[in-house]
Amino acid sequence: MFISFIKSACKFKNKYSNRCDSFNTEADSVIYLSLSLSLSLSLKLALQHNNHRKLTTLLLKCAGKLSIKQLLQIQAQVITYAPPYLNTNIIAVKLIGISASHAKLRHASLIFTQLTNPNVYAYNALLKAFAQHNDWNQTLSFFNYQLSSPTAPSPDEYTFTSVIKACAGLHSLSDGFKVHAFITKTGHQGNLFVQNSLMDMYFKFGFAEIAYELFDEMTVRDVVSWNTLVSGYVLSGDVEKARRVFDMMVEKSLVTWSAMITGYVRSGDVDAAREIFDRMPDRNVISWNAMIAGYAQNEKYADAIDLFWQMLRVSGFGPNDVTFVNVLSACAHVGALDLGKWIDQYIKRNGMELNLFLGNALADMFSKCGCLAEARRVFNEMQVRDVITWTIIISGLATHGHANESFDHFYDMLECGIKPNEITFMGILSACTHAGLVEEGLKFFNQIDKVYGISPTIEHYGCVVDLLSRAGRLNEAEDLINSMPMKPNVIVWGALLGGCRIYKDVERGERVVQHILKLDSGHSGSYVYLANVYASMGRLDAAASCRLRMRESGVTKTPGYSWIEHGHTIHEFFMGDRSHPQTDQIYSMISELESRMKLAGYRPNTGLVVHSVDEEEKEDVLSTHSEKLAIAFGLINTREGATIRVMKNLRVCTDCHEATKVISKIVNREIIVRDRSRFHHFKDGWCSCNDYW
């Protein structure tokens, strides 16, 4: 019967040769068939015939691809049919390793406890399982158990590598020193694996000098030793030393190159990181991820996206979830919705798991690109959610003006047992700010400390000052600033200044400007505010004097610009911009829109232009604001009825806000604008912010 079973296995191998290339013998084919078709019967047969150890080992090697349910079946068959002379330690080591690969540490521990005489390999397997899953306390606890047990075998070098890793993970200096002393006492200090682990531990403790002394004393070094030194200096923030070691290395691995890329990225020198990346003789997905992440983390989002497309073209292998998390972050910042949608479809097509990090990145991207429905969909699909997940949806709803829904999700989060953090409350307070819900905002603000035990930060205070200022409660806002437990910064005073601008409180505004200029003499917003106030009062000489002071002090106003994605390309526009290849078409569209807008009742708010020019010139200035150029570009390049999405680095001015409402009606389009503060959904002559922003 066993012979016929082998023949069946061989036929199976021929039929499915593309799946069985790694199985070279008939016995291997039996194992593959047993895993794929008849687990219980085939394992029983394997254990009842010769080559028990080989067949069982092969079976367990294949079992890493199976579910935990199938692994339990394997274990049951081994217990039932294995002959008494079979070495149970070998089986246990394999089963512990496989259980660990499925994150079943309790099951791995139970397997160990069934051994009557566990050897050092069994101890090491369980220690490794704990260390692999960052269960540092359990690693040290089990190691102490091994030392205290009179029947336990003595630790070897593999024992110490797991224990050293646990000491480093806990950042426990006392345990690290004790383990190092024990290693020296037992004569393992000369082992290469142990020395490399100790070096890594001391770097993580912040003792770079001790780590280098260990390296210097090593009589034998391998590429891991050198990589540990490079990575350690990178971790310590000493990129220059890391580079010196890197240049000395004769043999460099992918880990070496990637460590240097990471070092330069952390120091903010992305050009040096790219130089290393371009010099790499070979690259893997980790290398590409390191460079893409470097661009994203240093706010070079367009470069991150460009490098991602290059990776797809030339690398020869697919991106993973880490790649997508970094690229989605870049998409979220620049509003690259088309690429974000492509990644979403790629994940679905390739059956990738929507894990916590990938799900959070995807939901955040959709929310920040103005697709709140898609953000909700991703949120609902996620099987596991943490405080970041809930904060993303709460903040997303807030910036889109859905305050009540934001509150509902906050309470749902509490019912799920998730405790809010500082950023969650920023989302909730911003929801109140955008909706003008002052009393609700004050209630949540008071709960931060009293109910949830979180000390309010200066950002929380700034949010409440903004809430009160927008609602016209300027006295309360100023009183809150004066009662803050920390010194108010420019952002807090700036929030009050915004209220002074809205409600034309000139006296208070001048006082606030003095506070701001004491903190930041180059704060352009304060000069612009005063110039605009004086101009609106007819004090043109004072306005001109204010702008002259700006020039003399070298203060420059942050230029407003807008951007729009089309054809996987980000198109940027500044006020009066004529650098775009489609400039003639864009300005022709603006001229057409102006005529139709005036017929619809729109009148330009020329009071916003403080320069001493006539009304017609003021209208021309307003018509070429960056968001209007971006909207015109969108109308030219998208199909009839398609939604136009524009991003802007500053807050939308009142004229552009009014103009976009009118444009949305006359062209019958939804126009979504994300400014520095929130989203505006323009449709049928109406904006989602209800003109409160």
Side-chain angles (χ1 to χ4, degrees):
M1 182 177 179
F2 189 60
I3 299 299
S4 64
F5 191 76
I6 290 177
K7 289 179 179 178
S8 298
C10 291
K11 289 178 183 177
F12 178 83
K13 181 183 178 185
N14 292 333
K15 184 177 180 180
Y16 299 99
S17 58
N18 61 320
R19 302 183 191 177
C20 302
D21 289 343
S22 60
F23 302 105
N24 300 317
T25 67
E26 291 180 346
D28 292 359
S29 298
V30 172
I31 300 309
Y32 191 83
L33 182 59
S34 71
L35 299 181
S36 305
L37 299 176
S38 179
L39 179 65
S40 297
L41 175 61
S42 55
L43 181 54
K44 178 179 177 181
L45 289 169
L47 288 167
Q48 287 176 346
H49 290 76
N50 295 329
N51 267 336
H52 303 99
R53 182 174 298 176
K54 181 180 179 183
L55 290 177
T56 305
T57 303
L58 280 169
L59 177 61
L60 295 172
K61 189 183 295 182
C62 300
K65 304 173 183 176
L66 299 180
S67 67
I68 193 66
K69 180 180 178 180
Q70 290 168 313
L71 289 175
L72 293 173
Q73 290 177 338
I74 293 172
Q75 188 177 352
Q77 294 297 326
V78 170
I79 292 170
T80 304
Y81 295 106
Y85 55 81
L86 198 65
N87 189 327
T88 54
N89 272 293
I90 294 176
I91 305 293
V93 167
K94 293 291 183 181
L95 286 174
I96 288 170
I98 296 164
S99 298
S101 70
H102 287 276
K104 299 294 182 181
L105 297 184
R106 184 172 180 275
H107 188 72
S109 300
L110 289 172
I111 292 169
F112 179 87
T113 60
Q114 299 306 307
L115 293 171
T116 55
N117 189 27
N119 61 16
V120 70
Y121 303 109
Y123 274 92
N124 289 347
L126 192 55
L127 280 168
K128 183 180 178 182
F130 290 137
Q132 278 179 333
H133 290 275
N134 300 343
D135 195 342
W136 313 126
N137 286 313
Q138 193 62 34
T139 306
L140 291 182
S141 177
F142 185 69
F143 176 62
N144 288 327
Y145 165 78
Q146 180 180 356
L147 295 181
S148 62
S149 174
T151 60
S154 299
D156 64 8
E157 61 270 23
Y158 298 105
T159 313
F160 290 123
T161 54
S162 295
V163 176
I164 293 168
K165 186 178 179 182
C167 295
L170 288 170
H171 209 269
S172 175
L173 276 65
S174 60
D175 286 317
F177 294 150
K178 288 176 186 176
V179 170
H180 191 176
F182 186 77
I183 288 168
T184 304
K185 182 180 177 181
T186 55
H188 289 91
Q189 74 275 13
N191 181 270
L192 182 61
F193 300 116
V194 173
Q195 288 173 316
N196 289 341
S197 297
L198 285 171
M199 280 174 58
D200 180 66
M201 180 186 76
Y202 280 113
F203 271 122
K204 288 176 179 174
F205 285 169
F207 297 150
E209 298 84 0
I210 298 176
Y212 181 76
E213 284 179 17
L214 288 169
F215 176 83
D216 195 43
E217 292 170 359
M218 293 171 70
T219 55
V220 177
R221 302 177 185 127
D222 61 2
V223 69
V224 176
S225 312
W226 287 93
N227 285 345
T228 303
L229 196 61
V230 172
S231 300
Y233 282 132
V234 165
L235 182 67
S236 304
D238 197 336
V239 185
E240 290 185 8
K241 282 186 179 178
R243 183 59 187 263
R244 286 201 293 271
V245 175
F246 175 84
D247 290 336
M248 288 167 54
M249 291 178 66
V250 177
E251 180 188 0
K252 298 181 179 73
S253 68
L254 283 167
V255 174
T256 322
W257 293 91
S258 297
M260 279 310 309
I261 292 171
T262 302
Y264 280 123
V265 163
R266 286 180 179 172
S267 68
D269 193 348
V270 289
D271 291 335
R274 185 59 188 263
E275 179 259 328
I276 293 289
F277 179 81
D278 289 338
R279 282 177 50 202
M280 291 182 71
D282 297 296
R283 303 185 186 111
N284 60 7
V285 69
I286 297 173
S287 316
W288 287 93
N289 287 349
M291 195 64 240
I292 291 170
Y295 280 132
Q297 291 163 12
N298 285 277
E299 299 182 5
K300 293 181 176 291
Y301 306 116
D303 291 326
I305 291 171
D306 289 343
L307 189 62
F308 171 70
W309 287 123
Q310 183 182 336
M311 173 186 178
L312 294 181
R313 288 194 305 269
V314 305
S315 70
F317 44 76
N320 61 15
D321 55 346
V322 176
T323 319
F324 286 141
V325 166
N326 288 306
V327 177
L328 286 168
S329 172
C331 292
H333 281 88
V334 300
L337 179 61
D338 289 345
L339 175 54
K341 286 182 174 178
W342 183 90
I343 291 173
D344 185 31
Q345 291 302 313
Y346 183 99
I347 292 167
K348 292 175 182 175
R349 284 195 310 269
N350 291 274
M352 292 178 66
E353 178 192 358
L354 194 65
N355 61 35
L356 186 62
F357 300 106
L358 189 54
N360 285 347
L362 196 57
D364 189 52
M365 181 278 300
F366 277 126
S367 175
K368 289 179 178 173
C369 288
C371 287
L372 196 53
E374 289 299 301
R376 287 193 189 98
R377 190 257 307 165
V378 173
F379 176 83
N380 291 331
E381 288 177 357
M382 293 177 65
Q383 300 299 310
V384 179
R385 302 178 187 132
D386 63 0
V387 66
I388 297 172
T389 318
W390 287 96
T391 299
I392 286 169
I393 200 70
I394 289 168
S395 300
L397 289 163
T399 56
H400 285 268
H402 300 279
N404 289 328
E405 198 176 345
S406 183
F407 300 157
D408 290 342
H409 277 75
F410 178 78
Y411 292 123
D412 288 343
M413 178 185 73
L414 297 180
E415 286 184 11
C416 292
I418 305 292
K419 184 180 178 182
N421 61 17
E422 294 91 343
I423 303 172
T424 314
F425 278 107
M426 284 298 297
I428 284 291
L429 291 174
S430 68
C432 298
T433 300
H434 297 316
L437 302 174
V438 178
E439 298 308 322
E440 288 84 349
L442 293 174
K443 180 190 74 174
F444 282 117
F445 178 70
N446 290 327
Q447 289 178 350
I448 296 176
D449 182 24
K450 294 177 182 176
V451 177
Y452 299 100
I454 300 170
S455 297
T457 65
I458 195 167
E459 288 78 16
H460 294 127
Y461 278 97
C463 211
V464 177
V465 170
D466 192 30
L467 171 67
L468 293 167
S469 299
R470 286 174 194 256
R473 295 164 65 164
L474 302 181
N475 288 334
E476 292 175 66
E478 190 167 7
D479 289 343
L480 180 63
I481 292 175
N482 292 327
S483 67
M484 285 170 56
M486 69 283 290
K487 185 178 180 180
N489 61 13
V490 170
I491 296 172
V492 174
W493 285 112
L496 179 57
L497 186 62
C500 296
R501 176 183 57 80
I502 295 170
Y503 294 97
K504 298 180 172 53
D505 190 336
V506 178
E507 182 183 343
R508 193 191 310 268
E510 289 181 315
R511 188 167 67 248
V512 171
V513 164
Q514 298 308 313
H515 285 293
I516 293 175
L517 293 179
K518 282 181 182 177
L519 295 170
D520 179 9
S521 59
H523 189 263
S524 61
S526 296
Y527 291 104
V528 172
Y529 166 80
L530 287 177
N532 289 342
V533 166
Y534 294 146
S536 66
M537 296 170 64
R539 297 170 57 184
L540 299 183
D541 290 342
S545 174
C546 197
R547 291 188 176 278
L548 180 62
R549 282 168 56 199
M550 279 183 69
R551 284 195 294 271
E552 289 174 347
S553 303
V555 178
T556 56
K557 180 179 179 291
T558 302
Y561 65 94
S562 302
W563 64 96
I564 183 171
E565 182 194 25
H566 178 68
H568 297 308
T569 302
I570 303 298
H571 300 263
E572 287 186 349
F573 298 92
F574 291 83
M575 187 180 77
D577 199 342
R578 289 186 174 272
S579 62
H580 196 275
Q582 291 181 281
T583 289
D584 291 342
Q585 294 168 271
I586 290 169
Y587 277 82
S588 176
M589 173 60 74
I590 286 176
S591 180
E592 179 188 333
L593 288 173
E594 279 186 315
S595 300
R596 296 175 64 185
M597 287 161 63
K598 287 180 179 178
L599 289 174
Y602 162 74
R603 293 292 176 267
N605 186 359
T606 55
L608 294 173
V609 182
V610 299
H611 301 293
S612 299
V613 294
D614 60 33
E615 285 297 304
E616 187 175 345
E617 287 180 286
K618 288 182 178 181
E619 289 185 19
D620 288 341
V621 170
L622 291 174
S623 70
T624 60
H625 276 194
S626 63
E627 53 264 61
K628 289 172 182 165
L629 297 177
I631 290 169
F633 171 86
L635 290 170
I636 293 167
N637 291 283
T638 57
R639 59 180 172 77
E640 192 73 24
T643 299
I644 295 173
R645 289 180 169 82
V646 173
M647 311 291 163
K648 183 175 174 63
N649 69 323
L650 302 177
R651 194 170 280 178
V652 174
C653 75
T654 53
D655 179 74
C656 286
H657 191 270
E658 192 63 30
T660 308
K661 286 198 295 184
V662 178
I663 293 171
S664 71
K665 186 173 183 179
I666 63 177
V667 301
N668 195 26
R669 300 268 201 123
E670 182 178 9
I671 302 172
I672 299 174
V673 178
R674 185 185 84 186
D675 70 7
R676 185 179 63 187
S677 176
R678 61 167 297 155
F679 274 93
H680 300 264
H681 293 253
F682 299 94
K683 191 173 183 180
D684 299 326
W686 174 83
C687 179
S688 60
C689 75
N690 292 314
D691 298 340
Y692 187 88
W693 84 101

